[in-house]
Amino acid sequence: MRVYAAGATGPIMTSSPHHPFHHWVRLEQPRLGTRVVAASDEFFGAKERLIDYAEPVFVPDRYDDHGKWMDGWESRRKRVPGHDWCIVRLGIPGIVHGLDIDTRHFTGNFPPEASVDACRSDKELPADDEWRELHPRSALQGNSQHFLPVQHAHPVTHLRLNIYPDGGIARLRIFGEVLPDWSRENHNDIFDLVALENGGRALAASDEHFGSMHNLNLAGRGVNMGDGWETARRRGPGHDWVVLALGHPGRIERVEIDTAHFKGNYPERACVQAARLDAEDRANLVAASESWPIVLPESKLGMDQQHFFDKQLQDVGVVTHVRLSIFPDGGVSRLRVIGKLAMPEPVKEER
């Protein structure tokens, strides 16, 4: 947890980047600390490629000492009973809501079936009796993405991808949400309430043509222009926006809008709105967010720099969600929403 210091049942196959789980966080990203810790076999393709952040590629004339180079995890042809497997340890524990078992570029060498197990464990390699089925054994196709819904209510730390009997998987994407344990935190501390590792999550955006909304609350500053949220050039009326959920209800004390690497394409202005929502309010989230109370009035932005706002902020009380609006369009690398956790309200005793 980061403390901010002051100063369906079957697979859905598609190639669209806006897949059914786009509103969830990708928990398998190596930048979050996720690692591939073990595999039964990786003769043709290293196990680490399974969670490579980049999309898989095919290089026709590339070979290595083991044969044809493939951009993924690939085991040798199994000549004995059993099946191959690969274990991923999440950098941040989370609840899994969906999976993508991606066999792109694997045609005559993909596994015909796969299943996924999961567990919560402090061990590097969990014991056999710790694993529970996350998604049952399902048929796969070659050169395809298989989006698999998951119904599992508990946070996990490890996932085990089982392939039957052998073959290659380009990528395993793990979609879900981070659920930090706030019970041990001091409510007087200052936190980045929207940070991914603190449970914050981007929910919806007007446009993500050049950069994903999920980059906004990643740790650290953006590494390049592609490591931020960037919209297409707006040719009509209106402006772009993104809505995010905080990891914990809190009171906002400071806002940071970072336009790192955005020079000829940063927004001219930005504003931030916020609200406290109950579960039943979230169905009409986007429409309702237009009229949320203003935390940061429209403020001028500059290129390639961090903008810190505190005195300009308006107190709107305890909030659970924020909306960042940019005028009229452009790119923002990071958004930080700094504040204190809201104390739980005392339970009233009935007389």
Side-chain angles (χ1 to χ4, degrees):
M1 185 169 297
R2 172 147 52 98
V3 178
Y4 190 93
T9 59
I12 304 166
M13 285 168 283
T14 175
S15 60
S16 170
H18 294 289
H19 48 74
F21 310 127
H22 181 64
H23 56 292
W24 297 113
V25 173
R26 277 178 45 189
L27 299 173
E28 90 290 342
Q29 298 181 64
R31 72 166 85 191
L32 303 181
T34 298
R35 297 179 293 115
V36 181
V37 294
S40 58
D41 186 278
E42 50 181 330
F43 185 86
F44 285 115
K47 63 184 184 298
E48 288 79 13
R49 296 176 196 163
L50 189 65
I51 60 170
D52 193 319
Y53 184 78
E55 294 298 294
V57 298
F58 182 75
V59 184
D61 298 324
R62 184 173 179 181
Y63 291 82
D64 58 25
D65 291 340
H66 290 239
K68 179 69 185 75
W69 183 91
M70 294 294 291
D71 191 8
W73 165 57
E74 185 179 2
S75 65
R76 74 190 79 197
R77 300 189 188 212
K78 187 169 285 295
R79 304 308 191 194
V80 296
H83 67 274
D84 286 316
W85 48 264
C86 192
I87 295 176
V88 176
R89 182 172 188 173
L90 300 181
I92 305 176
I95 292 181
V96 179
H97 293 289
L99 302 165
D100 175 16
I101 301 178
D102 186 348
T103 61
R104 276 181 288 177
H105 310 302
F106 288 88
T107 54
N109 52 348
F110 68 94
E113 295 179 306
S115 69
V116 179
D117 304 318
C119 67
R120 183 164 192 168
S121 175
D122 294 329
K123 304 173 185 175
E124 181 83 346
L125 295 176
D128 288 341
D129 60 358
E130 294 184 74
W131 295 99
R132 299 292 182 270
E133 184 178 84
L134 190 69
H135 196 280
R137 189 165 171 169
S138 302
L140 301 181
Q141 294 183 19
N143 197 32
S144 303
Q145 289 177 264
H146 306 77
F147 290 97
L148 308 170
V150 170
Q151 301 294 330
H152 189 82
H154 304 290
V156 301
T157 57
H158 294 70
L159 290 90
R160 181 173 63 190
L161 172 63
N162 305 296
I163 57 174
Y164 305 94
D166 54 40
I169 301 291
R171 299 289 188 270
L172 175 66
R173 302 305 191 201
I174 304 166
F175 302 98
E177 59 183 313
V178 176
L179 287 183
D181 181 5
W182 292 102
S183 63
R184 300 178 181 180
E185 301 302 324
N186 187 334
H187 285 239
N188 291 319
D189 285 340
I190 301 294
F191 295 89
D192 180 354
L193 298 170
V194 81
L196 174 60
E197 59 265 44
N198 290 343
R201 180 165 60 93
L203 302 178
S206 57
D207 185 275
E208 298 174 84
H209 188 86
F210 291 113
S212 171
M213 63 182 180
H214 293 296
N215 291 331
L216 277 172
N217 63 337
L218 292 173
R221 299 193 70 192
V223 297
N224 54 40
M225 201 169 68
D227 190 27
W229 169 56
E230 184 183 1
T231 68
R233 298 190 186 209
R234 181 170 287 273
R235 302 306 189 187
H239 64 273
D240 288 313
W241 51 265
V242 59
V243 175
L244 304 95
L246 305 185
H248 190 283
R251 294 180 179 274
I252 301 173
E253 298 185 356
R254 187 181 187 188
V255 168
E256 176 189 337
I257 300 174
D258 188 355
T259 58
H261 307 291
F262 291 100
K263 298 176 181 178
N265 51 351
Y266 65 94
E268 181 189 14
R269 292 164 288 125
C271 79
V272 175
Q273 297 163 266
R276 182 170 188 169
L277 303 183
D278 296 324
E280 59 270 22
D281 296 330
R282 297 176 188 175
N284 300 312
L285 179 76
V286 171
S289 68
E290 296 181 16
S291 57
W292 287 352
I294 294 175
V295 177
L296 173 67
E298 285 190 33
S299 301
K300 183 75 173 175
L301 298 182
M303 68 176 182
D304 191 26
Q305 63 182 279
Q306 293 169 283
H307 305 78
F308 301 99
F309 304 98
D310 46 23
K311 295 180 181 179
Q312 304 93 324
L313 302 187
Q314 300 179 12
D315 184 6
V316 297
V318 175
V319 298
T320 58
H321 292 69
V322 296
R323 170 180 165 131
L324 169 66
S325 295
I326 58 174
F327 303 90
D329 54 37
V332 174
S333 179
R334 296 289 188 267
L335 173 68
R336 308 296 184 204
V337 178
I338 314 305
K340 292 183 179 179
L341 307 182
M343 297 292 289
E345 296 180 359
V347 177
K348 295 181 180 179
E349 296 183 3
E350 295 185 3
R351 296 183 178 180

